[in-house]
Structure formats: C-alpha cells, structure tokens
Amino acid sequence: MTRFSFARWLGILIKEFIQLRRDRLTFGMIVGIPIIQLMLFGFAINSDPKHLPTAVVMADPGPFSRAWVAAMRNSDYFTIVGSVDERQATALLERSEVQFVVTFPPGFNRDLMRGKPPTLLVEADATDPMATGGAISVLNKLGAEVFAPDLPGLRPPAQPLVDLRIHRRYNPEGVTAYNIVPGLMGVILTMTMVLMTGLAMTRERERGTFENLLATPATPLEVMTGKIVPYILIGLIQVTLILLAARWIFDVPMHGNLLLLYAVVLIFICANLTLGITFSSIARNQLQAMQMTFFFFLPSMLLSGFMFPFRGMPEWAQAVGNVLPLTHFLVLVRGILLKGNGIDMLWAQIWPILAFMAGVLTIGLKTFRKTLD
Amino acid sequence: MDELVIDVAGLNKHFGDKHVVRDLALQVRKGEIYGFLGPNGSGKTTSIRMLCGLLTPDSGSGTCLGLDVLKDSAAIKRQVGYMTQKFSLWDDLSIVENLDFVARMFGMADRREAVDRAIDELGLGGRRKQLAGTLSGGWKQRLALASCLLHRPRLLLLDEPTAGVDPKARRDFWEEIHRLSAAGITILVSTHYMDEAERCHRLAYIAYGNLLASGTADEVVANCRLNTWEIAGDGIHGLAERLRQLPGIDLVASFGTALHVSGTDAAQLAASLQTIQAETGLSIAPVAPSLEDAFIHLMQHTADPLGH
Ligand SMILES: Nc1ncnc2c1ncn2[C@@H]1O[C@H](COP(=O)(O)OP(=O)(O)OP(=O)(O)O)[C@@H](O)[C@H]1O
Ligand SMILES: [Mg+2]
C-alpha cells in the first residue's frame, strides 16, 4: 500500500478548487440554494399571518357573542367568512377553505351574564402551525378586552371569563418559528454537501477522467479527502450566510457560543461529505448518485424532526431518525442558538454523528474502486 | 537487449459472460516498439488496462517492469505512462493546469521545469492557459501524449495514440516514439494503421480475445503462408465478385488500379487465376503479400465468438 502523500493530496485539492471555480452552475447553487431557501422559509418565520378566513357556528346569537365576533374582526387576525352550521363548518375546515371555526354554544350569553364561564370552541387548521400561532395568542387576550367595558368588576381577572378550548386539528404539537432557521441550516447542508460530493467522483467516471486518475499513483484516501476539503469551505460559507440572515433579517436569538456552533457545524459537514463521497464511489454514474442523495435526503427531512415533531413519531421512525446526523444536528443547533447550551451538554448528540461518519467512511474506503472493473 | 519489460502469460478477462481476453501471452523487450493490432472490440484496450493495473485479470500471471502485474500495480503505475484511447485529461482545466496536476500526482521534484519543457516541446507556449476541452482532437492527442511522458516513464502504453491526428503530426509522433525507443524506453502501442504497424519492431495481432500472430512484420506475413498475385489492367472492374467464387481464392482486395488476390493453397490459386487470365487477358503476376493482406486474412479466418 502506498503511503499518504501530502503533495499528491494538495494536488488533488488544487485541481478541485480550480474546477469548482470554473463550474458556474455549481457555484451558483452553492450560494443560491441557501439564499432562496431562506427567503422562502424566512417569510413564514417573519410574517405573522393575518386576515385568516374564519367561520362562525352561532348557536346563541346575543350581545356578547356579537361583541366577541366583532372583536375578532377588529383584531385583523380573522376575516369572518360567514355563519354556518356544524356540518358545513367541518367541511370548510377539511377543504382548507377556512383556517378557524369558532363555535358559540347554546346559552353562551346567559352563562356569561350569570358569571359562569361559557365554553368557546375554536378549531384551528394547524397543518401549518406557524400560520395559526399568532391568531391563537390574540384569541386568548380577546376575552378581557371584549367584556371589560360591559362587565366592570364583575369578575376578577384571576378567573377567565370564557373557557376557551382550542383544538389544533391535524397537527397537535405546534412547531415554533425559531426552529426553522436551525433546521434549515441542517437541511441545506445535508442537501448541498451530499449532492456535490456525490457527483464529484461519478463526474470523473462519466467523463472518462477517472481512468487517468487511476493510472496515477494517487491513493483512495488522498482522492477522497482531497475532494472533500473544498466542500468543507463551501459548507462554512453557507452556514455563515444563513446565520447572518438569521440574525439580521429574521431576528433569531443567538444565545450560545458561535465558535462552538461552528465546531458542531464542521462535524456535521464532514459527516455529510463522507456520505456523499461514499455514494460517489458506489454509484456508477451521476444519475445514480443523485438518486442516492434524494433517497437519503427524504428521510432526513421527514424523520429528523425538521418537518414533524420528533417525539410525535412512532418508535420505528424515531429509531431511523436517530441514525441520521440531521436529527442530532437539529438538537445541537437549537440547544446552542436558542438555549445557550455549553459544550458539556452537547456530547450526547455529537457521538452519534461521529459514529455515523466512521461507519460511512469505512464503507466508502472499502467500495472505492481502485480499478475500472 | 533481451531484458523483458512485459512478460505475461495466460491473462484472462471476462465481462459478465463475455470472454474478452483469452489466455493472452505477451513478451516485450526493453527499448522495443511493440505494435498491438486487432479489429474493434478484440480486447486491445482491455489487455492494456490489465497490464497497468486498471483492470484485475481473472486469471494469469506475469511481470511488468519486473513487478508482479497482480500484486504490484501501485509500483507499476509510477513507472508507466498510459495514454488512454479516449481523451481523459480534464476538459475544464487548462493545458498547464492539466500537466501540473499530473506532475503533482507523480510527485515530481522538478515539476515546474518539466511542465514548461513539455509545453515548449508541444509548441503550445502561447496557449498554455487554454482549456483542454477547447483543443482540437489532434491537439488533445498530443497533449495527452505529453502528459503521459511527463514523469519520464520506463514503459509507455499507448492506446491508439494517433487516431484523428494529421499526417504531419503523425510522422512527428512516430519520430518521437523512435527517439524514445532509442533512449531505452519500451513502448506498447495499439493502432489500426498499417503504416504504423510497419514502423513497429514487433507486432501482436489479437482478435476476439485470442492472440493470433506475433513477431516482426515479415514473420507475421510469412506465418500466414499466403500466396498473393496482383491483377492489373483495364478490365479489373467488377472482377472481384467473380474471383471470390473461385476455389483457392481466400481474399480479394482492391488497391486502386490493381487487385490483390491471395490464398493459402498455392496450386488451386494458380489454377483459378489461369482460367481468369485465359478469359480476360489481364496481366497477372505474383507479388509479396503485404501486412494488410496478412491481417485481413487473419481477421477473416477467425470466427467471432462474441457475435460482433
Ligand atoms: N467495462 C466493460 N464492461 C463490459 N464490457 C466491456 C467493458 N470494457 C470492454 N468491454 C467489452 O470488451 C470487448 C473488448 O473491448 P476493448 O475495448 O478491449 O476492445 P478494443 O480492442 O480496444 O477495441 P477498439 O479497437 O474498438 O478500441 C468489447 O466487446 C467490449 O464491449
Ligand atoms: Mg480500444
């Protein structure tokens, strides 16, 4: 076996950098993907959607229920589309034509007069929890505002006037908006890192240049790591772009140590690059490498806790999710950024990423074909 | 002069159930220019790849530069210059970047000088920054040759190095090959051109994975035991089809205003030609069979087991 040669490794590194610089499309993707994704998701973070279509099921018309509806309308968060019966309301919700259904039960006005808090049922379409969060919090405050002038001193504020029951339909555990930026960071890195390096070796094979590379004394380890390093830099650039946007455009709080964050990011990037380069040596051509990337990308999106709350998933899905680096990365980044966690609290999430990386690298070096067979 | 640089025997290679190279035995001496010929798909490229460790033979053994072809491919690679049939330098690197990369891969101490010298010798000084992918086909070939000579290999494996190269460049190329050979470098070169085959010291002819003939050009021709006659005159037009029907005639080839008629059975061939001469009155005379006659004969007399 030939020894690792730093000079050869450097040669591969330089070559990769030059090729990367000439590849406009790839370069555009590297900068473009984070920016576009951030803008798309960013609007969801930033915007506090208003004028959400709302249907009212009115079983007890009266002064207080009318005042309540008026207050909702005045809050700007709700656009009342009309009064309907229960069956129609359910249908509207199911067809996504309304975001909320507010049901005033029989005896609403009477109970309120007697000082017995009536039940007010609010059903929310929470498939997109970010869309409903703002409106629901407004709803909570509405009670005091609506009835304070009419029922002065009737009830001390210790006991709510209305028993507000909110049913978040379709997605019981709401995801908070700040989850998105750390999550996005992980998703973007997973996608670009695995894809770019996945194409790196298959591109050589498809263009026939692999034969030339193989005819030189370069070793698999030199080729693999030499191809990885430029992408580490790219990943760090992407992370910086995202963090800058998070801080200055979306006002995401950053409580933790940034250096620590970058260290974690570095480990995560390396894990993804190792996977990409391994895909690259297994795949026969660029198309296969691309398919493998998406085969990995989908569970990463779905089972890591980025799309759906991790704790809400069935056990088998959690088991799969626990293998994926993104799962642990999300916890790490949220911990550092939002909770200000220190290094002592991170180890439990770091070793699974390292284990993933070691396993994949072993497979990669085993499957690297030193011949054209 | 008798040191063997390539000495392999019994090399076999299968792709799936296709037996692509069958029991190949090859002996190439130091400083020799060894021509490697055979029809398309006969296994030339596959054989060359096995010699420099890019493909693992299914069976067989032997040495290349005194190193075991099966075990020492890493050491062999360092001393071999391999020029691939298809251009395999990096299209998106410039001429100088390509050469520089190759020089780095071989860990050359005097990298810069070697690259500059190679570019000067190519006569590409003014275009060193041009991307390799934008070169014309012939120039790509010349760049590829320069790149595989860069690390001063002791053995050159050239896979159709002159395909698509103009006659002047081709002649320059062969001059260079002979210069290298005189300097003690061994060269194995595959080609489809007869004039190039004749410039080699020795030849091997391989068809459908079988080594059919080897030796000097004269030996190869002699071993075919062909008798060749030339028919010349105005009436040869349309004669070839008739000739092919006659007994003893294995091969009819047109050479401009003459036909070469060959066969292994001298008596039958002469008898058939006599009838033709009696009928047409054309001039018919025996000639020495050419290398091309020999090769076409070899090609026609091997069944194609791969069904090409
Ligand atoms: N990687 C491969 N997988 C499967 N079959 C292959 C592979 N490489 C070559 N072959 C087959 O092996 C046979 C010999 O191919 P090879 O390239 O060695 O021929 P060649 O003599 O170099 O032909 P040419 O003169 O056209 O270059 C062909 O039938 C080809 O289809
Ligand atoms: Mg070939």
Side-chain angles (χ1 to χ4, degrees), chain A residues 121-132:
Chain A
L121 177 66
V122 178
E123 290 167 283
D125 176 356
T127 45
D128 182 4
M130 278 176 295
T132 53

Side-chain angles (χ1 to χ4, degrees), chain B residues 15 18 20 39-46 49 85 160 192 308:
Chain B
F15 286 118
K18 266 202 281 185
V20 172
N40 292 133
S42 55
K44 300 184 296 294
T45 301
T46 308
R49 283 175 174 166
Q85 179 172 0
E160 298 191 29
H192 289 295
H308 283 277

Side-chain angles (χ1 to χ4, degrees), chain A residues 2 8 10-12 14-15 18-19 22 204 207-209 211-218 371-373, chain B residues 13 49 53-56 74 77-78 82 84 86-90 92-94 97 101 104-106 131:
Chain A
T2 322
R8 274 201 302 265
L10 192 68
I12 294 169
I14 293 172
K15 162 181 163 294
I18 298 173
Q19 289 185 301
R22 300 231 165 94
E204 301 258 1
R207 291 184 186 167
T209 53
E211 190 171 1
N212 213 324
L213 198 59
L214 279 183
T216 72
T371 61
L372 292 166
D373 297 76
Chain B
K13 185 71 190 174
R49 283 175 174 166
L54 292 187
L55 286 175
T56 324
K77 282 177 189 176
R78 254 175 296 218
Y82 170 44
T84 54
K86 178 176 169 287
F87 182 69
S88 64
L89 287 170
W90 288 265
D92 49 354
L93 294 184
S94 68
E97 285 160 356
F101 175 70
R104 277 179 195 271
M105 286 305 105
F106 285 96
L131 295 188

